[in-house]
Each structure stands twice: as structure tokens, then as C-alpha cells.
């Protein structure tokens, strides 16, 4: 028979190690890639009539900060800030990270 846990103490060092682990980073990358997959075609459609020489690039990446791993999804294009302000493409694509 399994023994019941009578007490549990979270180690700060262990929590930091978990939040910076390769497994957490891989999960964040998967979620960032999901957001990118939703947002990129919408940005391409939004910039199709643009006269900018370069197409929009959407980048999904992870990083290790001082306390934990994190992820970013960035649209790179001269019109990306205006498009995000008007259409909220990245903001709307956040739901894809929940899957």
C-alpha cells in the first residue's frame, strides 16, 4: 500500500531548476510554434497589398531568463505594429498556445 504524503516542502532551487528545464522549454517552444502557425498566414494576408520589399516574417523562439524559461512570437515587417494594433493577430493567436 502506498504511503500518504504527510508534508510537502517546495525547494526554491528545485522549482527554479524545473522552470528552466529542457522539458519546460520544449513545451514553450511547441506552444510558440502553434501561435506562429496561426498568426503567420494572417500577417501574410494582411501584408499582401503592401509595397514593402520584404515579406512578413514571424519568429517563434524560447529563452532562459534568470528565473524561468520563456517564449516569444514576433512579427517582423515595417507594418507589423500597425497591423497588430488594427487586427490583433498575435493577441488572437494566443488561444493556439492553449492546445
Amino acid at each position: 500500500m502506498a504511503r500518504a504524503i504527510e508534508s510537502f516542502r517546495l525547494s526554491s532551487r528545485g522549482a527554479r531548476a524545473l522552470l528552466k528545464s529542457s522539458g519546460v522549454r520544449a513545451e514553450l517552444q511547441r506552444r510558440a510554434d502553434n501561435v506562429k502557425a496561426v498568426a503567420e498566414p494572417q500577417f501574410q494576408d494582411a501584408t499582401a497589398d503592401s509595397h514593402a520589399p520584404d515579406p512578413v516574417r514571424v519568429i517563434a523562439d524560447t529563452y532562459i531568463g534568470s528565473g524561468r524559461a520563456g517564449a516569444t512570437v514576433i512579427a517582423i515587417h515595417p507594418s507589423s505594429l500597425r497591423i497588430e494594433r488594427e487586427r490583433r493577430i498575435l493577441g488572437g493567436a494566443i488561444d493556439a498556445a492553449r492546445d
Side-chain angles (χ1 to χ4, degrees):
M1 184 168 138
R3 294 175 49 178
I5 297 176
E6 293 179 17
S7 68
F8 175 79
R9 184 173 172 186
L10 181 63
S11 160
S12 295
R13 188 179 318 137
R16 270 194 305 274
L18 175 65
L19 291 172
K20 292 181 175 185
S21 71
S22 60
V24 169
R25 192 168 183 181
E27 177 63 16
L28 290 173
Q29 184 66 52
R30 184 188 69 79
R31 291 172 184 242
D33 288 339
N34 287 350
V35 171
K36 176 185 174 182
V38 170
E40 192 166 34
Q42 293 180 45
F43 269 108
Q44 289 172 351
D45 289 345
T47 58
D49 296 335
S50 170
H51 298 300
D54 297 323
V56 66
R57 288 184 11 212
V58 179
I59 297 170
D61 197 13
T62 60
Y63 59 90
I64 300 291
S66 61
R68 63 182 174 190
T72 57
V73 181
I74 303 168
I76 301 173
H77 189 271
S79 301
S80 63
L81 289 175
R82 177 187 54 79
I83 293 167
E84 180 61 20
R85 185 176 55 246
E86 292 171 358
R87 300 187 186 193
R88 299 238 340 117
I89 293 172
L90 287 172
I94 292 293
D95 286 340
R98 293 186 178 109
D99 293 339

